[in-house]
């Protein structure tokens, strides 16, 4: 959202970049390890095609289940916004969003359909039954262009 947005990282449960599996749960969970409130938009493919949904609001240092039950897809896509400090977690996959709560079918022609185009980062769950994504703030990171 902000052109001077700070870079953020996504951490594995084990400490590597990206996301980690959670073997005990069959859900898609998001954990916000930052000190800021964060808004989450999620994209994925279901039986009818592409869908994007948002916004989940995560308090600082909190976790929330985004999708309940065994994961139906291997790849999920996330766009997140730091409400308090500015900045966002983005990626190269472009999907449709809007500023208020939404469920949008399809990822094509976002602007023509009255939506915004937003970058999402890909999470490969490795076909696990459950997965937890951890968002973390990278101190001292260069501004995003």
């Amino acid at each position: 959202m902000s052109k001077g947005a700070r870079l953020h990282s996504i951490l594995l449960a084990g400490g590597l970049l990206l996301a980690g599996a959670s073997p005990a749960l069959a859900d898609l969970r998001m954990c916000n390890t930052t000190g800021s409130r964060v808004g989450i938009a999620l994209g994925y493919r279901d039986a009818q095609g592409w869908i994007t949904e948002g916004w989940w609001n995560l308090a600082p240092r909190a976790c929330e289940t985004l999708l309940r039950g065994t994961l139906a897809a291997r790849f999920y896509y996330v766009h997140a916004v730091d409400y308090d400090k500015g900045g966002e977690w983005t990626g190269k996959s472009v999907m449709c969003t809007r500023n208020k709560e939404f469920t949008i079918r399809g990822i094509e022609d976002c602007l023509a359909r009255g939506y915004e185009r937003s970058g999402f980062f890909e999470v490969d769950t490795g076909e696990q039954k459950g997965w937890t994504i951890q968002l973390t703030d990278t101190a001292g990171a260069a501004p995003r262009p």
Side-chain angles (χ1 to χ4, degrees):
M1 296 214 157
S2 168
K3 289 187 180 173
R6 294 177 299 119
L7 286 176
H8 291 82
S9 295
I10 301 89
L11 274 185
L12 258 181
L16 302 174
L17 285 175
L18 218 67
S22 176
L25 299 173
D27 296 327
L28 181 65
R29 292 176 44 83
M30 177 75 65
C31 292
N32 173 14
T33 67
T34 75
S36 298
R37 295 172 303 127
V38 174
I40 305 295
L42 182 67
Y44 57 94
R45 199 169 171 85
D46 67 9
Q48 290 86 40
W50 286 103
I51 187 168
T52 51
E53 298 181 87
W55 294 94
W56 286 269
N57 295 308
L58 273 68
R61 295 172 191 81
C63 296
E64 185 170 332
T65 298
L66 304 184
L67 299 174
R68 295 202 180 279
T70 301
L71 300 181
R74 176 175 176 170
F75 297 99
Y76 290 85
Y77 298 83
V78 177
H79 177 88
V81 177
D82 182 324
Y83 292 139
D84 296 328
K85 296 178 184 171
E88 49 192 357
W89 292 261
T90 65
K92 295 178 182 178
S93 299
V94 176
M95 299 185 182
C96 305
T97 61
R98 59 190 276 186
N99 285 334
K100 55 186 176 178
E101 187 175 331
F102 66 90
T103 298
I104 302 170
R105 283 276 171 198
I107 59 173
E108 67 288 328
D109 302 321
C110 297
L111 298 175
R113 295 191 297 149
Y115 303 121
E116 296 176 31
R117 291 171 36 99
S118 299
F120 285 65
F121 67 85
E122 181 179 273
V123 175
D124 181 352
T125 67
E127 297 181 2
Q128 297 293 316
K129 292 180 181 176
W131 199 263
T132 297
I133 304 163
Q134 294 189 26
L135 298 178
T136 184
D137 191 355
T138 302
R144 182 175 291 280

